[in-house]
Amino acid sequence: MRRWLLSVLFLSVWAIPAAAQRWTVEVQARVSRTQVGMGETVVYTVDIIGALPNGLRMPDPPPTEGLALVYPTPTVHRRYSLIGGRIQQRIRYSWRFRPVRPGKARIGAFRLQVGDQTLATEPIELTVYDAPTAPPAEVAPDASAVPDLFIEATLQPTRPYEGQQTVLEYRLFFREGLQVWRSRLVGSWETEGFWREELEVEDRPLPERVLRNGAPYYTFVLQRIALFPTRSGTLRIDPLTIESEVSLQPDPLDPFATLLRPGPSEPQRVTAPALTVTVQPLPDGAPPGFVDAVGRFRMEAETSPTEVGVGEPITVTIRLSGSGNLPTLRPPRPDVDTSFAVYPADDELTLDRRGARLNGTRTLSYVLVPGRAGRFTMPPVRFAYFDPEGGAYRTLTAPLPELVVHPAPSTPAAPVATASPAAARSRSFSWLRWLPYAGGGLLVLVLVLWLAHRGRAARRPRPSPVQPDALPPSTLEPRLFYRRLEEMLRRAAGRYLDEDVRGLTRTRLCDRLRQRGLPEAEVARMARLLAACEAACYAPTPPDPVQTLHDHREAARLLESLEKKAPSEEGA
């Protein structure tokens, strides 16, 4: 019995390749309509049926006359079936064409190379009318016109105010029976006129099943971005092109599906169209102290210590949290009189990117140094902002405690020794005698120190110029890319400041750039990029390629600006 089963299995394995070799491949072509109007499209579909070799490459579209290809990559359907004991594969490619002029149009022969034979279809003639033609009501929609893969872009809110957070979400849809993975950004993607912050999405999302255009699809969030418009008017968001690996998933209810491997994956590109956003200007009636804060905020303040002596420091900490434009707004500060000197100490920004909106907390520390004694009633910290959901301006207040400043302790006078007049005259005479020699020696010492310092300054090498084209490629391993990016940013900052910045913290470095006169927008960009470098080097998961590409472009702009503003070699 066992030998009989082995013989049958051997004959079956030998017969399947032999039958596959005798199987002929058939190619069929058709169009969704032969009469089309200007402004309309026609779908050209090719079915390839038979036993196809593995690794069959995606064919090129047929040549045309009077028609233009809407998108170079076709939609693809794959289906397997078992007919007469033989496996039959059907691959359907669909292209969409648009007429370019009225009159006669033509789709040439579609050619496919399979092994050593070339298969071709007959050309198809079309008639193009000057006006659009209404499709017959009784004709059912062509299934090939329904895309296998597409992207939807949603913006919420659709008409934001200047500075208001608006969330842009790209969602990928794919038909049942397909497997999609390795989605990646293709080309550049710009949001001119927006400050943007990437929000976190699932690395391995579980697709949900929905209906679109009457057909079942699976969908998941591909990318989510928080955008903050920096000016009012009409702004444009570039098209987003994604390339994904797509393959056919076997039907789990088909008893022969487990015997068949899915076809090889094919890269497919889909594009979300460009978006036009109308940004509303902020309304009139802003309260005193309002600058640029838009969103919903909370504020608290604390002071430590509250009782000091003259000249001793007092730290005032202000925490501002919410879902507004925290990275770009001008922060609040304590309003004190001239009895105190105010020094900004630290500005720390913590962002939460895990939800559907960007939230965060900005912690600001100020050092107050009293110049005189007394009891001081500190005015509350005030922060004015515009609430876009309520459509009104609001003001937050955070009280500060009373400060008690004690006088500085008096310094006891040094004891005065007495001596006889003769001794005093003798010491005075002795000191005056040696005074010229001491003065000459001191002058020589100062001259020697000055020459030594000048020599060291002349020998100190300036950092070499940092060019944007020397940036590491964004395709580099993420942690290595961000480590090199941080080195280049600090080197460029050192050239701009003309000093060694290797030992400075991120906050202290940004303060030095701000003191040197670097615009606040570029200081904020430097702070965000350095924070991204630190997070990428120590985070458990590396950033996604889209974020890496965005940081690469931002760093190139910043390096170019710093290099233009850096002091020249002659000036140094």
Side-chain angles (χ1 to χ4, degrees):
M1 183 65 178
R2 183 177 299 175
R3 291 181 179 179
W4 179 79
L5 288 175
L6 291 174
S7 301
V8 172
L9 181 60
F10 174 79
L11 291 175
S12 300
V13 172
W14 174 83
I16 289 177
Q21 290 176 359
R22 293 194 301 269
W23 188 266
T24 58
V25 177
E26 181 182 358
V27 179
Q28 301 172 356
R30 67 180 186 276
V31 292
S32 58
R33 56 166 75 176
T34 57
Q35 296 181 352
V36 61
M38 294 297 296
E40 298 177 333
T41 59
V42 58
V43 178
Y44 178 80
T45 302
V46 174
D47 287 324
I48 306 173
I49 309 167
L52 301 176
N54 291 330
L56 182 68
R57 72 175 186 87
M58 183 176 295
D60 297 325
T64 60
E65 298 177 7
L67 299 171
L69 189 62
V70 175
Y71 195 75
T73 304
T75 59
V76 184
H77 288 273
R78 291 180 181 269
R79 179 170 298 178
Y80 297 89
S81 58
L82 194 65
I83 300 177
R86 291 179 295 185
I87 300 172
Q88 176 176 309
Q89 182 179 3
R90 176 189 293 265
I91 304 179
R92 173 175 295 174
Y93 296 99
S94 298
W95 289 272
R96 191 180 294 271
F97 294 93
R98 179 181 292 111
V100 297
R101 60 180 178 272
K104 293 295 183 181
R106 184 174 185 270
I107 299 178
F110 172 83
R111 300 183 183 276
L112 179 69
Q113 187 72 29
V114 180
D116 56 354
Q117 59 177 334
T118 301
L119 306 177
T121 63
E122 294 294 329
I124 300 177
E125 304 288 338
L126 295 92
T127 303
V128 180
Y129 295 95
D130 196 10
T133 61
E138 64 275 6
V139 177
D142 187 2
S144 64
V146 180
D148 287 341
L149 204 69
F150 66 92
I151 300 177
E152 276 189 1
T154 57
L155 194 68
Q156 186 62 36
T158 57
R159 289 174 54 86
Y161 286 96
E162 179 181 351
Q164 179 184 1
Q165 178 178 177
T166 179
V167 178
L168 175 62
E169 184 177 275
Y170 289 103
R171 185 175 283 271
L172 182 66
F173 292 80
F174 57 96
R175 293 287 297 271
E176 285 187 309
L178 296 181
Q179 290 179 327
V180 179
W181 70 96
R182 293 179 185 171
S183 299
R184 52 196 174 272
L185 179 68
V186 176
S188 61
W189 179 69
E190 296 294 338
T191 55
E192 185 68 29
F194 292 92
W195 174 279
R196 72 188 189 201
E197 294 285 346
E198 304 288 337
L199 300 180
E200 294 181 4
V201 295
E202 292 285 343
D203 291 334
R204 295 184 177 180
L206 182 64
E208 57 178 314
R209 193 175 187 272
V210 297
L211 286 177
R212 280 293 186 275
N213 303 321
Y217 282 90
Y218 284 97
T219 179
F220 62 87
V221 176
L222 191 66
Q223 193 174 17
R224 189 181 290 125
I225 309 102
L227 299 176
F228 299 89
T230 58
R231 63 176 183 268
S232 59
T234 301
L235 303 180
R236 183 179 185 271
I237 300 174
D238 282 357
L240 180 78
T241 301
I242 295 294
E243 184 176 77
S244 301
E245 297 292 331
V246 180
S247 67
L248 186 70
Q249 180 181 12
D251 185 359
L253 300 179
D254 186 354
F256 298 100
T258 56
L259 302 177
L260 302 174
R261 294 182 178 179
S265 63
E266 297 177 350
Q268 292 195 28
R269 292 187 179 184
V270 287
T271 300
L275 297 178
T276 301
V277 185
T278 301
V279 180
Q280 307 177 68
L282 297 178
D284 297 332
F290 173 79
V291 181
D292 54 359
V294 180
R296 306 195 75 173
F297 301 95
R298 301 179 302 278
M299 185 177 65
E300 57 184 11
E302 60 184 25
T303 303
S304 178
T306 58
E307 188 170 350
V308 296
V310 173
E312 296 179 354
I314 302 170
T315 301
V316 177
T317 303
I318 302 172
R319 293 183 183 88
L320 188 66
S321 58
S323 60
N325 56 338
L326 284 169
T328 60
L329 60 79
R330 185 175 301 178
R333 58 179 294 158
D335 183 16
V336 296
D337 60 23
T338 56
S339 301
F340 294 85
V342 182
Y343 303 95
D346 198 8
D347 185 350
E348 181 180 356
L349 177 64
T350 303
L351 296 178
D352 184 3
R353 307 172 186 270
R354 294 171 295 179
R357 295 175 63 82
L358 183 70
N359 295 278
T361 300
R362 192 166 177 179
T363 305
L364 305 124
S365 299
Y366 298 91
V367 175
L368 311 184
V369 180
R372 63 182 179 88
R375 303 180 72 91
F376 299 91
T377 301
M378 306 291 291
V381 179
R382 299 184 182 276
F383 177 69
Y385 69 95
F386 177 72
D387 181 3
E389 298 181 13
Y393 290 95
R394 307 188 190 281
T395 301
L396 298 175
T397 59
L400 294 178
E402 182 183 59
L403 299 180
V404 178
V405 181
H406 299 289
S410 58
T411 304
V416 179
T418 59
S420 64
R425 284 195 301 270
S426 176
R427 281 196 299 270
S428 175
F429 175 76
S430 176
W431 173 256
L432 290 176
R433 185 179 60 181
W434 290 99
L435 183 61
Y437 299 100
L442 181 62
L443 182 61
V444 171
L445 179 62
V446 169
L447 180 61
V448 170
L449 292 176
W450 179 77
L451 291 175
H453 173 73
R454 185 176 180 182
R456 284 195 301 269
R459 289 192 300 271
R460 180 173 61 89
R462 286 196 70 211
S464 58
V466 183
Q467 300 298 336
D469 54 6
L471 277 170
S474 60
T475 55
L476 202 63
E477 194 274 327
R479 288 182 173 83
L480 181 58
F481 166 77
Y482 280 99
R483 192 178 303 117
R484 294 183 180 177
L485 178 62
E486 182 178 10
E487 294 174 359
M488 295 194 67
L489 290 173
R490 286 187 172 273
R491 188 148 55 92
R495 276 184 57 82
Y496 176 78
L497 297 172
D498 196 19
E499 62 183 64
D500 189 357
V501 301
R502 287 175 295 180
L504 297 182
T505 64
R506 168 164 45 98
T507 302
R508 183 56 183 160
L509 175 60
C510 292
D511 287 342
R512 291 289 298 117
L513 293 172
R514 193 178 289 110
Q515 294 168 6
R516 184 64 181 268
L518 189 67
E520 186 62 32
E522 296 186 13
V523 175
R525 182 177 294 173
M526 173 67 78
R528 194 197 69 78
L529 287 172
L530 290 177
C533 293
E534 295 173 6
C537 291
Y538 301 105
T541 57
D544 55 64
V546 176
Q547 179 64 39
T548 304
L549 182 61
H550 170 65
D551 292 341
H552 187 280
R553 291 197 300 265
E554 291 287 306
R557 297 193 189 99
L558 181 59
L559 291 178
E560 183 179 5
S561 176
L562 288 175
E563 189 59 34
K564 289 180 180 178
K565 298 172 183 175
S568 63
E569 298 292 341
E570 292 79 5

